[in-house]
Amino acid sequence: MPAIAKVHNTLVYKGSNFFKQRLVLSVLSGKPVRIVEIRSMADEPGLQEFEVSLIRLLDKLTNGTKVELNETGTAVYFQPGLLHGGQVDHECSTQRSLGYYLEVLLMLGLFCKEPICATLKGVTTNKIDPSVDHVKASMISTLKKFILEDEDLNLTIKKRGMQPLGGGEVVLRCPVRRQLRPVQLMDIGMIKRIRGIAFALRVSPAMSNRMVEKAKGVLLNYIPDVYINTDMSKGKASGKSPGFGIHLHTETTNGIFYSAESISNDVANGEEPSVPEDVGVDAANRLLQEVYLGGYTDSTSQSLAILCMALGPKDVSKMVSGPLSEYTVGFLQHLYEFFGVTFKLENYNSENDEDEESNKVMLTCLGIGYSNLSKRTL
Amino acid sequence: MGEDIPIEEKKKSHREKKSGKKAERKKAKKDAQNPNVQELTDKQKNPKAFAINSAIRAERRFRRKQDIDTKKQHVPLVDRTPLEPPPILIAVVGPPKVGKTTLINNLIKMFTKSPLSEVKGPVTIVTGKKRRITLFECNNDINSMIDLAKVADLVLLLCDASFGFEMEIFEFLNICQVHGMPKIMGVLTHLDMIKNRKTLKNTKKILKHRFWTELYAGAKLFYLSGIVHGDYLKNEIKNLGRFISVMKFRPLTWRSTHSYLVGDRYEDLTNQEMIRKNPKCDRNVSLYGYIRGIPLSKNTMVHIAGFGDLRIHEISFLPDPCPLPEQIKKRALIEKEKFIYAPFSGVGGIVYDKDAVYVELGGSHSHKQRDEGDETNIVANLIETKETLDVKMEHSEMQLFTGGKTLMSKDMDVDESEEEEDEPQLYEKNSNKEDDELEAELAQLKSKQISNYKVEKIEDSGRIRRKVVFEESDDVLNEKLAMSEDDDEDEDNDDEEDPEEDDESSEDESVEESKIKPKTQPEYIQLKENKDIGIHSKITDVLKNLNTKKVSEKVSDSTKKVVKSKKEESESDDDDSSDDERNLSKIKAMKIDKFEEVEFDDESDNEDEEDGDDENDDEDDESDDEDSRKDNNSKNEDQASESESDDGEVDLGLKWKDNLAKKAEDAFFERQKSSKNLMKLVYGVFDNKYLKPQDEEIEEDSGDDEDNIGGLFKKISVEQQKLKMEKDKMDLIESTLFMPWNSNIRNWIDPENKLLITNRFVTGKWKESEDANELLKLDDAEDLSDIGSDVYGDFEDLETGEKFTAKTPEAENGDGKGEKRKRDLNDKDDMADRVKLAEKKKTLKEKFDADYDKTEKSTFYEELKSSAEKQAEINRSVFENMPDEMRVQLEGFRAGMYCRLEFQDVPCEFINNFDPTYPLVIGALNMVEENIGFVNVKVKKHRWYKKILKSNDPLIVSLGWRRFQTMPLYSKLEDDMKFRYLKYTPEHVTCNAHFWGPITPQGTGFIALQTCDGSAEVIKHQGFRIAATGVVQELDKSTQIMKKLKLIGYPMKIYKKTAFIKGMFNSSLEVAKFEGARIKTVSGIRGQIKKAASKPEGVFRASFEDKIKASDIIFCRTWYKVDVKNFYTPVNTLLLPAEQKNSWRGLRTTGEIKRSKGIQSQPALDSLYTEIERTVKPFKPLIIPGRLQKALPYKDKPKHSVKDSDKKKQISRVAVIREPEEQKVANMMKMLKASFEFKQGQLKTQTKERLAKYKKTIEDIEQRKSKKLGEIKKDVFRKRSKAELKAQKKANKK
């Protein structure tokens, strides 16, 4: 979805797809962006609640941002300011999970003026976005590869909350860095352990045990080192809506995390209630699917890793990833438009991969030498 | 060496003295020494035994060593210099009349042996096998000095030794310091002006030491002793040249994060017609130069110093106009490799462009002799320019003699592969014979061509350039075209460029008709704009057949024959490549939709397989059609030349077959790198918009032919499809997840699926290099190979130990020995295994070394250094073997490339007022740097600047690439991190300043000037022009600068600790804002503002810690935010006419305005100094109440005793009553006293009278005396004069 026009410095796009990417890249590159025809033909035209919430979050995070919406909300003009960071409290829309917003914070956090300490409230897990556990396990560990010292980069889950009402709360801390470092991420290593967490909120705690049992049943076929916690949240810490789910992640000998999850259906939304056993098996299968796809990051963190590569110093970075997700492909395209970065993409076969249908991708790029312009030097 | 020895033997050896004084002395010395030698101390004999004598000394020694080591260390930087670096930019700087031009001329002369008649702008020379330099003279303008300091790699700082250092030098040094110190070499000239040897020595010494304090101790200072015949001494110049050639440079921060160019050529591409209509219309301009710094990405903004920000409309790289010699065979440069490139100076008289050749003529006078003189001159010029001959001749020849403008595409002709081909040729050509031939040919051709070339005049900044246009008959043209197609070797022309040339070729026909050839730009532009339109793409395809490129030198009259034979030979190779380009645009349309389909299939597993199938299909097709291809090819060409004449209507029916060769090639490529498909998948979307298509591999369908035949219709449907797809995709839900919500997942318990991933787990199979089992075996093998087979007697089953070692790595998964035994061992297997084993051992050894051996070296610094080196190695190697077009996509235009940047909508002043002596610095702006915000800088007024700087006075700042005027606000960072407003900069300390300006990375230095006016009186008035220097600290979109504000109020009513205060605020609203604020009285009683009172507006209630007095004054200390003015204007000196370039004027300071208008500011009355008048205050007497008085101790009691004077008064005599006797006596005495007093009085008056009388008489006498004397004198003089008169009369009578 390339830009339909380029007016002076402003990129003009059509449609609501990749809204988040565009805004994030706009903030990082300092280029204003105009998005038109947002759901102009839909029943509910214009920006939706979660997108407005995202704009609000970006406004809190930056200084000097200008946003112009037209009357129907089908067109947005976004002129980014400079990243500020600091203490941010944000009530996120319950339409999307916190993962949607956390990704933004992780992409921008390193380039703020002050270290981010963000408290986000809303839904912690849904089926569209990576859950907070997912962000914690895979995205943060991915980001750590690009900075020298990863002190103070952490995500704590205070409360969990399921759809539709949410009620979850997380705190993200992210340090400030002047520059990223170039990486050569080629050796993936072998998976040495599987960990996970099962939670049942406002339902019987037995649910989580049932999920764990089944998930383990699948995973133990591959590796004996499987350990899944159960999170029995009570009271306020369990959010406002009932539901349960399980999150699993693997760790390789080289410290790479793949994670996957599965949650129960939203009964309030008219879906039929799901069986915990199915959820457990589904999560395990999803995890194994991630393992199968492989790469230096799991499929969800690809875009974050790619961004960090592109924003690195003027050096060559290399990374092996699994097959590119559609989101990542879009992200690469947007990176090209905002930063002019072209990645060299090749199929990658490591020497001992006998399975010839390996579809890993080797991403090579020359960083643009991005540096944190917000940070103060004394 | 064999010859040397006999020569040495012949030499007469030194004969030692055996007798005499000298011999004795020597002998004595020897004797004296001898005993000493024998008496070595123990320590000397065995130093190791005394290694550590004292722990303290050892510690000191160690510390000292560490100190020295640490001092040597620099932060290791990743070496990003390209393999073929751009020429080193040498700026020659100095005040006027120090000999800059002479020095440049001499250097050019030294390096090239052919001096330029006039040096203007940069001159690039090849000085060595691996080094080129660009010389640039800096004129005496602070703007030029600033711009050059930002880009120069080496500065030759000239100084007139007879005069001493001038301000310009120090100004320049300061500029350099701020913008990243380039290497600076001082050069002292005019040394011959100092006649006295001693003073010469002294001045040299003084200047050297001054120079050292400015730079660093030991900075190189050159002495050019004097001018002989208008030149410096040859030896000295040579020495200087050598120094320049071996100079090493350290990367500077700003330049290693930004790419930049120094423009050495420009071209106005605007349509002549537009200019004719409106001479002030915006122009399209192309600028040329070597990329420096880091690679230049094509969609960045650039800033042209002295002009402003621009967006690159188009960028392309050109063959190097001043290339380094290709092979390093000898130590010295061959004469022919000593290129010189200086378009502004008009070197060689010929300037090449992408689509034209310009021949420079002498000026307006040369018109007169044009008929004969010029024609010979052109060719003579060609022949004369020997230094560029061997490469340029290829282009020039072809351009001048083969055909019309179509053949002038010199820009196309350097490709890596082609260059390789050229290499041997180049050296062959060096023989004189070839040159002679060339010249002969030139002469021959000259006679042929002279009759039909035309000259187009272009006025260009005072210089007249003539564009050469050739006219030829149609068939000749066709011939040439055909030929050119055959010789078509290169593939590197861009899509953008092609149509231009094609247009040119089509233009040539129009030339035939009109015989007058204007520069037909409008067509070109139009075509370019319509590029996306389908029909046009077809046209271009055909036109591309006419693509003209490089021609070999063997152009002669018999071209036709040669061409034909050549054609047959080279068809199979060359046509592929030319077809390649031709088809690209055609295929593009189909390509795009195909990719979109692929893209959203998103069954990632299947993608590659599909692609593979496609390839195979393609191949089959191609092999079938291969045979027919050749025949068709020649037809196509004919057709192409035909179609050219009817310009628009083109028969495309037969064109499809051209694809075949391309297909074959593509298939080949795809087999090699399937990666391209991925690239396609992602970046294919941009093809029609941004990317140049030939960079991408092309996928093709087998249903290709249909597409082409019905191209027009297909295209539309494709477009519609695309639109529909876009619409579907436009509003999809954005999700990071690879497998969102309801996608089906494989069942991984299934054993088939399980196989796929079992090896990803530690429980699965490991890599051979990591598998513990393998490693263990390898260890065993190592032992075995070291010691031999005998050691392990228990392996008796095996025949030899060797065989066992060879076998070990093969054994997998703990297979039993039995299997091994079964295998028969053949020798080949054995060898291969051994090699494999050796490799493994090597890697293991490395690992071991890394772990254990490097204990000493693995310091933090070493690690940093090695990682930087490793990164540099990766940077170099990753893109090394790619074609340049691809590399440019991935990493941008790397440093050292000669590039052409095209800009649109450039104001006409840029062209009209262009002056090559002003540096044309084009600096790329990184991300966000094109934006504007508040810049917070640390600033210090320069200690040599006379005045202090005032807040909100405009200041010219040079920051990053830019020079701009802005209005800074000075402030001081307080301890509570608040910026407190300052009205003036403090002296000798830094302060902060905020200004509205371009966002520039933190840590970037800047200098500030108050004016960049270079007129004499301004300079004289200012003395030192640099007002301040500083560094960027922070960037933001808002500022928080606070000014102290003290609000004052007076108590209106006071109750105990509460008081109503008036006069501080004007309304209750204001009060409301300050509720809770702290206040304080002058006497120090603290309080708080409570609430506004209702009645008198602005009065509020406040509470204090104590009761205040009605006379107290109450303060409220607050801060007032001061706003920085959003004023930013770039200094556009490049746009000014030549005479004003040095006197740019922007905003004036209020002081300047007042001075010019004669406005005297009225001082505030209360701040004037007046005499202080103090009225004396009378105090009331102190009254102490009686009670208090009583209570007081005696010493403090008021004393009511009588005053002394009163005392005297009071002491009156006691009345004495006398006896009558006594009374009489007393009376008597009284009378006596009275008479006595009376007598005395009388006496006094009498003497007074007498005295007065006496005085009078005396005076009278005196008067009389003087009267008498006067009379006598009168008499005497009368007599004397009478006597004189008499004497005179007598004399007269006599």
Side-chain angles (χ1 to χ4, degrees), chain A residues 3 9 16-17 30 63 96 113 128 191 222 286 291-292 314-316 325 333 343 345 372 375-376, chain B residues 80 311 675 682-683 689 730-731 734-735 738 741 748 760 762-763 871 875 931 1002 1034 1036 1038:
Chain A
N9 219 2
S16 68
N17 202 3
N63 183 17
R96 302 298 290 260
K113 194 183 283 287
I128 318 171
I191 289 160
Y222 292 91
R286 277 169 188 272
V291 170
Y292 170 67
K314 274 277 177 186
D315 286 322
V316 171
S325 69
Q333 289 166 356
F343 278 73
L345 310 167
N372 185 347
K375 199 181 167 200
R376 183 186 160 78
Chain B
R80 298 199 178 95
R311 178 166 292 288
S675 66
V682 175
Y683 296 112
K689 285 197 161 188
M730 224 165 74
D731 288 330
E734 177 185 22
S735 171
F738 194 72
W741 49 112
W748 288 100
R760 302 272 166 88
V762 278
T763 46
Q871 187 65 49
N875 290 354
N931 292 356
Q1002 307 92 323
E1034 193 185 16
D1036 214 331
S1038 60

Side-chain angles (χ1 to χ4, degrees), chain B residues 1185-1198:
Chain B
R1187 262 170 136 193
L1188 183 64
Q1189 269 190 46
K1190 269 183 192 167
L1192 285 174
Y1194 175 76
K1195 79 173 163 71
D1196 292 332
K1197 265 184 189 160

Side-chain angles (χ1 to χ4, degrees), chain B residues 824-867:
Chain B
D824 54 323
L825 312 155
N826 54 346
D827 282 345
K828 269 191 186 176
D829 215 22
D830 212 32
M831 277 295 289
D833 290 343
R834 216 175 284 169
V835 171
K836 222 175 173 182
L837 182 69
E839 263 173 36
K840 264 182 198 168
K841 274 167 82 177
K842 207 176 143 196
T843 54
L844 267 180
K845 178 95 172 57
E846 273 169 17
K847 214 174 177 184
F848 179 85
D849 286 349
D851 285 350
Y852 299 102
D853 277 4
K854 274 185 157 183
T855 44
E856 198 199 5
K857 273 197 169 182
S858 65
T859 56
F860 176 68
Y861 180 71
E862 290 290 330
E863 264 170 38
L864 268 183
K865 212 170 160 186
S866 73
S867 76

Side-chain angles (χ1 to χ4, degrees), chain B residues 67-233:
Chain B
D67 280 351
I68 291 167
D69 282 351
T70 322
K71 234 179 218 173
K72 278 181 194 163
Q73 291 173 353
H74 294 277
V75 180
L77 293 172
V78 178
D79 177 25
R80 298 199 178 95
T81 49
L83 284 177
E84 199 166 299
I88 290 156
L89 188 71
I90 301 176
V92 183
V93 185
K97 300 274 177 199
V98 287
K100 299 189 290 278
T101 320
T102 324
L103 180 67
I104 287 184
N105 276 330
N106 283 336
L107 281 172
I108 293 171
K109 204 180 195 177
M110 204 268 285
F111 283 124
T112 66
K113 307 279 187 276
S114 56
L116 295 177
S117 54
E118 191 190 13
V119 178
K120 260 186 184 174
V123 179
T124 308
I125 322 172
V126 181
T127 62
K129 288 282 175 187
K130 282 190 157 183
R131 180 152 284 197
R132 294 172 288 184
I133 59 169
T134 299
L135 293 165
F136 203 113
E137 184 184 334
C138 176
N139 47 17
N140 185 35
D141 180 355
I142 194 134
N143 296 310
S144 300
M145 276 154 70
I146 289 170
D147 289 347
L148 266 182
K150 288 174 191 172
V151 292
D153 298 307
L154 170 67
V155 175
L156 297 181
L157 201 56
L158 265 66
C159 170
D160 183 348
S162 63
F163 184 85
F165 286 121
E166 289 170 60
M167 261 321 179
E168 279 85 354
I169 286 175
F170 291 106
E171 281 168 356
F172 188 79
L173 284 174
N174 269 296
I175 294 168
C176 282
Q177 233 154 21
V178 159
H179 291 301
M181 202 68 164
K183 270 269 157 76
I184 294 180
M185 222 151 83
V187 180
L188 293 187
T189 58
H190 296 274
L191 284 170
D192 54 345
M193 306 284 271
I194 306 168
K195 298 287 186 239
N196 189 348
R197 268 189 62 209
K198 211 170 184 184
T199 46
L200 177 68
K201 205 176 152 194
N202 261 336
T203 38
K204 269 187 184 175
K205 198 177 162 191
I206 291 165
L207 290 178
K208 185 173 76 181
H209 282 280
R210 180 68 234 186
F211 190 65
W212 284 6
T213 50
E214 282 306 312
L215 281 176
Y216 58 91
K220 187 71 202 160
L221 193 61
F222 244 91
Y223 306 114
L224 294 180
S225 50
I227 289 180
V228 180
H229 303 305
D231 283 340
Y232 292 113
L233 296 185

